[in-house]
Amino acid sequence: MEKILLSLYQLRHKDYSQKELSEILKISQKQLSRKLDIWQFENVLIYESGKGRGNKTKIQWLIDIEAIYYAKVKHLIKTDTLDKVVQYLAWDWSPLQQQILFKKVNPQLGLYKISDHKEKLTITKRYKLFTVHPLEAIEAKSANVVMSVFNRLFTYNENEQLEYNLAHHYELTEQYIDIYLRPNVQFHDGTLLTSVDVKRCLETAKKHHNTQELLAPISTITIINPLSLRIYFNQCPHILALLSFVPLSIYKVSKDKIIGTGPYYIKANNEVKTVLKRFDQYYAHRAFIDTIEMIYIPDYTQTIIGNPENPLTTIEKEMGYYYLCKSVNSQLNADQIQYIRNTLIDHYRYAINKHFKVSLNSPKVLKQSKYIKSKQLLPPIFTSPVMIDCIGKNDIRIQLIKTTLEEHNVPVHLNYIKFDHVMTKTHLFEGDFFCFGEYLEIPESISYYNFIFNPSSSIYNILKAYPWFEPLKKYYLSTPFDKWPRINHLLDRWLHKEGILFPLYNKNIKLKYDSNINGVKINEMGFITFQDIWMK
């Protein structure tokens, strides 16, 4: 089967020039001519070349390619593994055929026994993982998997109370913290965790671009003995919360693989799937599900965990927010900025509500955010379009920003940038505003600080250009950690008032899952914690 041949077959209802066909199929005209010759020789089609300006290529199909390919894929679904079939599901099928193929795949999804005391959960996802390295895990999908494969020294529960992970206990002074590790914690290769491993990870993080500035307050790390170490710091009131940050998960490199100590280890990770396998020597609460298999199907739109053919249960939680962040280089005046902000606050939520038929709460960043509404302004004059950098070219929510503003006499130009470029900090922001989605980890107090001041934040390169950035960062680091929530709220309100950073709407995560699955809850990453799920 050839993907290009099926794509060409879907173009059969209209004539195209050779140049147009090569552009649509994303191959050169020379490659197209060679393939047409081969398919004609194989009695798949007859064609008359349409080279030259205005001439169309005439193709007469001798066989129904889609029907033949459909039968082959349907047979593969019955006889082969899902990861070998999945590559064909994203091909250019007609809508009805694609829907039928997806439906035939559904029974292979879900949770089922593979042997005694071993269960397997297969989940479909639209995109492969951005990374499995803790230091690179700065977006939700990757961070969720990293949380299942690696452990941190500490974590915070939903009530923002500190819990011990790899650390058994600690002693804290104003200059240093002594950390005592749990004994007999195994890495996935069977070796034991020591203070040397923790020191190496933290010292590597001190040099990494995502965490270098975050760990700047840490000066030196010394080994006390194989299960304890001392971390010296200067003005680091948030040291415990800092050591609970997901990118500071503890790992080691073994046989060119990054391994952790978590409840699962990575058995496979490629373009088609990621497979997590239960680690039976895990030091803490052992996972019930033996294997988690994430299959990547780009055009698969169902957000269902498990088999869609079984009775389903829905779980919903308000998670994260979409926001606009203003560039310091924007030439918009104060009235224009306030008018844009007021227009979006007053009308954008209702446009989303009307289009998606959902009820949205007042947008906010922090849980207890309270914003003071600015006075209404007459529409100011805009001599040029307002440029908004954004991600997601086909995202209707982004289009609604443009539509809402234009309905209120604000001309808008959307400048689309790639998600990878934002994650790798390789994009130069050119717009008046940047639009993106964000979530806050637990505890909220340090997560908001990271959102504003951490180099891995999506808006770091925008905010660091403001003159208040560095002085405010120093003020945070000289203030006791228990005072941070108040500073966060004051800063959040001021940024909102100035039109520098304000939320558009809070995003509701809704997951449907197979009723045979239990223990499903949405974590701070907006997905499920694999370790907690179990089967009746």
Side-chain angles (χ1 to χ4, degrees):
M1 290 187 288
E2 286 193 67
K3 184 178 181 179
I4 292 177
L5 181 56
L6 181 60
S7 297
L8 179 65
Y9 184 76
Q10 304 299 3
L11 304 173
R12 65 192 182 278
H13 299 299
K14 182 181 176 182
D15 291 332
Y16 297 88
S17 69
Q18 203 96 336
K19 181 181 179 182
E20 289 171 332
L21 285 174
S22 66
E23 288 175 351
I24 294 171
L25 299 175
K26 296 180 180 178
I27 59 174
S28 68
Q29 293 186 52
K30 187 175 181 180
Q31 287 175 305
L32 178 60
S33 294
R34 187 164 58 246
K35 284 187 172 293
L36 286 170
D37 287 339
I38 292 172
W39 293 328
Q40 184 166 256
F41 177 77
E42 293 175 345
N43 293 319
V44 173
L45 54 79
I46 299 172
Y47 85 99
E48 181 181 332
S49 178
K51 291 182 180 179
R53 177 172 296 191
N55 295 325
K56 306 295 185 182
T57 297
K58 304 291 185 180
I59 298 177
Q60 178 185 346
W61 291 91
L62 303 179
I63 58 177
D64 186 336
I65 286 296
E66 184 172 51
I68 295 171
Y69 281 13
Y70 171 77
K72 288 183 178 182
V73 174
K74 195 167 71 169
H75 177 73
L76 287 173
I77 291 173
K78 294 179 181 178
T79 60
D80 224 325
T81 58
L82 185 57
D83 59 298
K84 292 182 179 178
V85 174
V86 69
Q87 59 179 312
Y88 302 112
L89 299 183
W91 284 16
D92 291 330
W93 304 99
S94 59
L96 178 60
Q97 299 291 68
Q98 188 175 53
Q99 184 179 356
I100 295 172
L101 288 175
F102 279 147
K103 194 171 182 63
K104 290 186 177 298
V105 162
N106 285 342
Q108 295 192 38
L109 306 176
L111 180 63
Y112 54 89
K113 282 185 175 292
I114 51 178
S115 66
D116 289 343
H117 309 298
K118 288 188 177 182
E119 288 75 25
K120 177 180 178 181
L121 174 63
T122 301
I123 302 170
T124 58
K125 296 179 78 68
R126 294 186 67 185
Y127 307 108
K128 69 182 183 70
L129 293 178
F130 182 72
T131 181
V132 293
H133 196 302
L135 288 174
E136 303 289 344
I138 58 175
E139 50 85 38
K141 294 190 296 295
S142 297
N144 187 72
V145 172
V146 164
M147 287 167 60
S148 297
V149 176
F150 304 91
N151 291 117
R152 292 157 275 172
L153 293 169
F154 305 98
T155 57
Y156 281 81
N157 61 27
E158 290 185 353
N159 298 319
E160 300 207 354
Q161 296 171 327
L162 183 73
E163 294 184 344
Y164 297 96
N165 271 205
L166 296 178
H168 186 275
H169 60 283
Y170 69 92
E171 295 176 352
L172 180 62
T173 72
E174 290 185 1
Q175 290 82 35
Y176 63 83
I177 180 172
D178 287 341
I179 295 177
Y180 300 85
L181 302 175
R182 291 180 184 272
N184 300 317
V185 173
Q186 291 189 33
F187 281 101
H188 296 148
D189 65 351
T191 58
L192 295 179
L193 171 75
T194 70
S195 52
V196 174
D197 299 303
V198 177
K199 178 183 178 183
R200 173 183 40 76
C201 283
L202 294 180
E203 288 182 338
T204 301
K206 276 182 62 65
K207 302 173 185 176
H208 194 275
H209 59 88
N210 279 340
T211 48
Q212 184 177 17
E213 291 191 33
L214 193 67
L215 297 183
I218 292 178
S219 53
T220 56
I221 304 170
T222 61
I223 301 295
I224 300 175
N225 62 46
L227 287 177
S228 58
L229 66 157
R230 176 169 291 177
I231 302 174
Y232 290 92
F233 51 80
N234 178 37
Q235 287 192 323
C236 193
H238 58 305
I239 183 65
L240 289 171
L242 179 61
L243 296 174
S244 72
F245 193 37
V246 170
L248 295 185
S249 299
I250 305 305
Y251 67 93
K252 69 182 292 188
V253 179
S254 175
K255 297 179 181 178
D256 297 326
K257 290 184 177 181
I258 300 170
I259 61 172
T261 60
Y264 287 95
Y265 64 90
I266 298 173
K267 186 177 180 181
N269 183 41
N270 52 48
E271 296 289 323
V272 175
K273 67 177 180 178
T274 298
V275 179
L276 305 182
K277 188 81 166 58
R278 182 174 62 205
F279 182 46
D280 289 335
Q281 286 72 47
Y282 184 50
Y283 71 89
H285 176 65
R286 196 174 124 186
F288 182 90
I289 308 300
D290 179 79
T291 304
I292 306 289
E293 183 179 53
M294 288 171 278
I295 301 292
Y296 303 117
I297 309 177
D299 295 326
Y300 195 78
T301 56
Q302 294 193 75
T303 54
I304 296 173
I305 302 166
N307 184 358
E309 306 299 319
N310 291 339
L312 300 176
T313 301
T314 300
I315 184 173
E316 187 171 1
K317 188 175 182 181
E318 190 173 88
M319 291 294 307
Y321 46 88
Y322 274 75
Y323 63 85
L324 280 185
C325 182
K326 183 181 75 70
S327 169
V328 70
N329 298 318
S330 173
Q331 299 300 307
L332 297 172
N333 62 43
D335 284 350
Q336 290 172 328
I337 292 168
Q338 295 297 346
Y339 183 77
I340 290 170
R341 195 204 66 173
N342 290 356
T343 299
L344 290 174
I345 290 172
D346 290 343
H347 302 284
Y348 179 68
R349 270 192 309 135
Y350 301 104
I352 289 263
N353 188 0
K354 181 179 178 181
H355 186 88
F356 289 101
K357 302 293 188 288
V358 294
S359 179
L360 297 175
N361 297 324
S362 296
K364 57 188 176 182
V365 174
L366 297 164
K367 291 176 184 174
Q368 305 300 325
S369 295
K370 292 181 180 178
Y371 304 123
I372 300 172
K373 192 171 182 180
S374 298
K375 63 180 181 180
Q376 294 296 323
L377 301 171
L378 294 173
I381 296 173
F382 291 86
T383 57
S384 59
V386 174
M387 182 182 288
I388 301 177
D389 291 331
C390 54
I391 297 172
K393 197 163 189 176
N394 298 316
D395 193 335
I396 190 64
R397 294 165 299 191
I398 304 294
Q399 291 293 332
L400 281 174
I401 296 174
K402 185 175 188 292
T403 301
T404 302
L405 289 174
E406 288 179 341
E407 286 176 351
H408 292 82
N409 304 311
V410 181
V412 175
H413 172 72
L414 299 179
N415 179 39
Y416 295 104
I417 55 180
K418 292 184 179 179
F419 175 79
D420 287 0
H421 291 178
V422 174
M423 291 295 101
T424 56
K425 304 296 182 295
T426 55
H427 177 75
L428 180 64
F429 293 106
E430 301 173 343
D432 297 290
F433 291 96
F434 172 55
C435 179
F436 198 45
E438 191 62 62
Y439 66 96
L440 294 182
E441 293 181 50
I442 300 172
E444 185 182 76
S445 46
I446 190 174
S447 293
Y448 184 77
Y449 172 84
N450 287 338
F451 178 47
I452 303 296
F453 297 106
N454 189 354
S456 66
S457 170
S458 55
I459 56 173
Y460 175 79
N461 286 335
I462 298 176
L463 293 183
K464 73 176 183 179
Y466 282 93
W468 50 261
F469 185 85
E470 285 298 333
L472 185 58
K473 181 179 179 181
K474 290 178 180 178
Y475 179 70
Y476 265 94
L477 297 179
S478 63
T479 304
F481 186 58
D482 61 357
K483 307 295 184 187
W484 281 25
R486 174 165 172 76
I487 305 175
N488 288 346
H489 282 283
L490 289 173
L491 175 59
D492 186 45
R493 182 182 293 184
W494 180 77
L495 292 173
H496 189 278
K497 177 177 175 292
E498 295 297 313
I500 296 174
L501 175 68
F502 57 92
L504 297 171
Y505 69 95
N506 287 83
K507 185 175 181 181
N508 277 24
I509 299 292
K510 182 184 290 186
L511 297 177
K512 289 186 178 181
Y513 62 93
D514 190 327
S515 296
N516 291 321
I517 304 173
N518 295 267
V520 176
K521 60 182 180 180
I522 300 175
N523 58 31
E524 68 266 32
M525 305 301 174
F527 202 59
I528 60 174
T529 303
F530 297 130
Q531 186 183 0
D532 293 338
I533 57 179
W534 55 281
M535 182 179 182
K536 285 183 182 179

